[in-house]
Amino acid sequence: MISFDNSAINLNTEMDKILLQICTQIQITKTQRTLAETAYHCLGSFLSGSSCPLSNYKPSIYSQGSFKIQTTNRPMGQEEFDLDFVCELKSPLASLVGPDHLLSQLYDCIKKNPDFSQTVEIKKRCVRMIYPKEFHIDIIPAIPDLNNGGTCILVPDRELHKWTESNPIGYADWFESNAVPNQTYERRSIEQLPNQEPVAYKKILKVIVQLLKRARDVAFSGNKFNGDHAPASIVLTTLATEQFHQGENSINQGILKILSGILFNINNTQPDTLRVLNPTNPNELFSEQWEKNPESYRQFTVWIETFIQEWSGLLQLRGLPKIHHALSLLFGEDVTRVAISDIAEHASDNFRDNKLGILPSLGLVKNTTHPDVIPFKPNTFYGDNFINS
């Protein structure tokens, strides 16, 4: 549980503690994480093993997307969360096969393996393995992009019947460099998955991305916004990272700055559509959904406008009931109730033990030994007094 500081407790600090607790509620569980890791290693061992025809192409298996950068959320309702993996085939022979055929080969390898009882589907750019009521794994076959070099790869596109550019390793390093400077990952034939970070130790950018994704899920599950038009996670992550400043030390203020920056770019781009590219491979367009479906972009812009209004209003609220209600509308009632209950329970313990009081020059404090501190009575922890202006 996140504890109170010994110094003055201000609005930014208290709001951030609630947001951290919400993030804790939406993070995948240890059980889900363990199941995902088991599936990943089982699949990786098969694809790189001698019994798989693709092993002749010298496969390198690694994670990508939210699982790699540790911004995966637990889905709302009965939905499955998704895991994205790359099967990069290092041998030059793989490039001679052709994108459609290589994708079909990957599908056949997995489908015909008796050890995999999961439903297997072939998608636009990947093969999907479905673990009902838990998660699904998207495995993307890829070959090195020799023209762009580095960590750039080419992935198949069944609709276009050709290779398309990507760079998931470069993207993850770019994201991490904004969240944690100078951090990179060791490359292996089957890359080890990073250990799941406790929310309390996560960098602010990662927490913000998870909260933005949760707010999107809530907004696009109602009547105002259509779930089919929800912005992709990679789009939200990229936009947030581009607007994030490493010196920002407040989650709630970081969200406000990011939303303001995104809205500024939307308005500055009009009447054109905002384009979101992979910053480590500008030939990869993340926001192709918006160009194919203008209604998706319209709903995104309206959502951002609404979100920033609601967030700005939230930061002006005083009193736990009002804040609880506003956060519930943004992130969902269940996770908000649990998060605030955890905060309130800990605060109540401090009140009961006479560890909280008011220092007129600073506000609410935990250290009550100062001669000017006015201690709270145990029965005053209710209603609007939880967060004081």
Side-chain angles (χ1 to χ4, degrees):
M1 179 179 295
I2 301 167
S3 62
F4 277 60
D5 295 329
N6 289 324
S7 58
I9 302 173
N10 57 43
L11 292 173
N12 265 343
T13 302
E14 284 311 304
M15 184 64 74
D16 278 6
K17 287 179 180 176
I18 295 174
L19 294 174
L20 280 171
Q21 289 288 42
I22 290 176
C23 192
T24 299
Q25 297 304 314
I26 64 178
Q27 183 148 282
I28 61 174
T29 65
K30 290 183 178 179
T31 299
Q32 290 173 318
R33 172 80 185 191
T34 299
L35 289 172
E37 288 178 343
T38 300
Y40 169 73
H41 287 294
C42 181
L43 181 62
S45 296
F46 165 67
L47 292 175
S48 59
S50 58
S51 62
C52 176
L54 292 179
S55 63
N56 295 328
Y57 298 141
K58 300 179 180 179
S60 173
I61 317 298
Y62 51 87
S63 60
Q64 69 159 340
S66 62
F67 203 73
K68 182 175 182 64
I69 63 176
Q70 303 218 40
T71 59
T72 301
N73 283 350
R74 193 164 61 224
M76 294 175 56
Q78 298 299 314
E79 298 177 1
E80 304 156 347
F81 67 93
D82 64 300
L83 308 173
D84 297 308
F85 300 140
V86 176
C87 178
E88 184 176 352
L89 306 169
K90 299 288 191 177
S91 171
L93 296 175
S95 62
L96 303 177
V97 176
D100 290 354
H101 188 58
L102 192 60
L103 187 59
S104 296
Q105 274 192 304
L106 177 62
Y107 171 78
D108 290 339
C109 280
I110 297 174
K111 181 72 174 177
K112 294 177 180 178
N113 186 339
D115 293 334
F116 298 126
S117 59
Q118 291 75 24
T119 301
V120 181
E121 301 174 348
I122 188 166
K123 311 295 285 187
K124 178 183 177 182
R125 294 176 181 171
C126 67
V127 174
R128 174 169 294 176
M129 296 179 64
I130 301 173
Y131 295 72
K133 298 182 180 179
E134 293 292 345
F135 54 86
H136 61 260
I137 296 178
D138 287 343
I139 312 105
I140 302 176
I143 60 173
D145 184 352
L146 301 180
N147 290 331
N148 287 311
T151 56
C152 292
I153 58 174
L154 297 173
V155 301
D157 189 313
R158 292 179 66 212
E159 292 181 0
L160 301 176
H161 304 290
K162 68 174 187 178
W163 297 110
T164 56
E165 293 95 341
S166 187
N167 189 6
I169 289 177
Y171 182 88
D173 287 344
W174 170 77
F175 177 87
E176 291 290 351
S177 70
N178 282 275
V180 188
N182 302 321
Q183 180 174 345
T184 58
Y185 292 102
E186 182 181 355
R187 315 298 177 205
R188 302 176 181 176
S189 59
I190 303 178
E191 180 192 88
Q192 295 297 311
L193 296 176
N195 293 327
Q196 178 156 292
E197 297 171 321
V199 170
Y201 295 98
K202 281 193 171 186
K203 294 299 180 179
I204 286 178
L205 177 58
K206 296 187 179 185
V207 174
I208 289 176
V209 167
Q210 287 187 256
L211 292 171
L212 292 178
K213 287 161 61 175
R214 176 68 180 200
R216 171 208 58 191
D217 292 343
V218 172
F220 283 82
S221 66
N223 297 324
K224 189 170 184 179
F225 301 103
N226 189 322
D228 293 336
H229 298 303
S233 293
I234 190 67
V235 168
L236 285 183
T237 302
T238 305
L239 290 173
T241 307
E242 288 174 344
Q243 297 299 325
F244 183 77
H245 301 292
Q246 291 180 8
E248 181 57 63
N249 57 8
S250 166
I251 298 170
N252 69 79
Q253 292 300 315
I255 291 176
L256 183 61
K257 287 183 179 180
I258 285 171
L259 293 175
S260 300
I262 293 173
L263 184 59
F264 175 84
N265 286 341
I266 289 173
N267 292 334
N268 200 43
T269 306
Q270 290 180 345
D272 296 326
T273 300
L274 194 65
R275 289 171 61 84
V276 183
L277 304 170
N278 184 337
T280 65
N281 191 336
N283 293 320
E284 183 177 13
L285 178 65
F286 288 149
S287 58
E288 60 180 349
Q289 170 194 16
W290 294 342
E291 298 197 354
K292 292 181 178 179
N293 192 335
E295 176 60 17
S296 292
Y297 184 66
R298 187 194 70 80
Q299 291 200 25
F300 167 74
T301 60
V302 174
W303 173 58
I304 291 295
E305 291 172 353
T306 304
F307 195 171
I308 196 170
Q309 290 173 1
E310 293 173 342
W311 196 256
S312 299
L314 166 66
L315 299 184
Q316 300 302 314
L317 295 177
R318 299 294 179 267
L320 186 58
K322 294 178 182 178
I323 292 172
H324 184 163
H325 177 69
L327 288 172
S328 296
L329 295 177
L330 287 169
F331 301 114
E333 168 60 28
D334 291 343
V335 298
T336 302
R337 183 179 65 252
V338 174
I340 289 183
S341 294
D342 285 347
I343 293 287
E345 179 184 354
H346 191 75
S348 183
D349 291 342
N350 284 324
F351 272 100
R352 202 164 39 243
D353 297 337
N354 293 321
K355 292 180 179 179
L356 288 179
I358 284 286
L359 183 61
S361 61
L362 293 176
L364 189 61
V365 296
K366 181 176 178 181
N367 183 359
T368 58
T369 60
H370 192 285
D372 294 333
V373 167
I374 305 170
F376 275 102
K377 295 180 180 180
N379 62 355
T380 59
F381 170 75
Y382 295 102
D384 291 354
N385 287 328
F386 178 62
I387 294 180
N388 297 270
S389 56

